[in-house]
Amino acid sequence: VDALTIFLAENHRLVTGLHMFGFVLGFGGALISDIYFIRFIKDFKISDEELQILKGFSQIVWLGVAIIILSGLGLFLPDAESLLGSSKFLLKMLVVLVIVINGTFLNFLITPKLTSINFFDEAGKGYHPRSIRRLAFALGAVSSVSWFSAFTLGVLRRSQFSLEQMLVLYVLALSFGVIGSQIAEYLVSKKGFKFPF
Ligand code: HEM
């Protein structure tokens, strides 16, 4: 373990570069998924072909997450003691956990049902497309806010704010994001509303 720690410390720039590469794939993939999801639902349904495209983006996101976590461990090991005392690092770990759990829900709860998100069939019996659509928008917002928060926490200097202050900010950002997403969902439900992208 000692030799590994020394190796990681000596290659700090390289490991940081990997960390950023993972971020580009993960955040970029998540962002492009959101934009294409909005484009694809402009005709109020997601076709099988469109679903395959979204699944491709999702694989890029998970690859990015794997690279981020591995390289993150590589950055963590040589500096573990001081990082465990850093409130911004601890909160970042919580945010990463939210990204992973939220992404798992998106993958296993929303993705299989995407093609049945029909924006005008409110009559479906025993199945509530509207609630799934709302959930899809909410989880999408949690994802974007969390990626942005993890990045902000990553570039922040250590311990500028207390853990409580940052946690409050993160929860506030999540709340605004989810509320905004529900407003967006409502607007999309009204036929004719156009997103700028
Ligand atoms: C969405 C997930 C993540 C994002 C966006 C992210 C982003 C960043 C950024 C921007 C930096 C600053 C790099 C620099 O200027 O040197 C950084 C540093 C670091 N990251 Fe991450 N990171 C993420 C996940 C992780 C994970 C999962 C770990 C640990 C397993 C981790 C551990 C570290 C460590 C130890 C550092 C250097 C020390 C520090 O500044 O806190 N990161 N990260």
Side-chain angles (χ1 to χ4, degrees), residues 31-47 50-51 53-54 57 119 137 188 193-197:
L31 201 64
I32 206 82
S33 301
D34 289 346
I35 290 173
Y36 271 82
F37 174 68
I38 289 170
R39 283 194 174 177
F40 289 162
I41 55 165
K42 278 193 173 162
D43 60 358
F44 305 107
K45 60 174 173 45
I46 306 273
S47 71
E50 289 167 343
L51 184 63
I53 293 172
L54 291 177
F57 289 148
F119 277 73
F137 272 69
V188 165
F193 177 79
K194 296 221 178 354
F195 276 101
F197 39 80

Side-chain angles (χ1 to χ4, degrees), residues 58-88:
S58 155
Q59 285 172 338
I60 294 175
V61 176
W62 286 114
L63 177 66
V65 168
I67 293 174
I68 287 177
I69 292 178
L70 278 178
S71 58
L73 268 174
L75 291 170
F76 171 76
L77 284 178
D79 201 16
E81 238 176 281
S82 110
L83 282 166
L84 288 176
S86 153
S87 49
K88 69 142 212 170

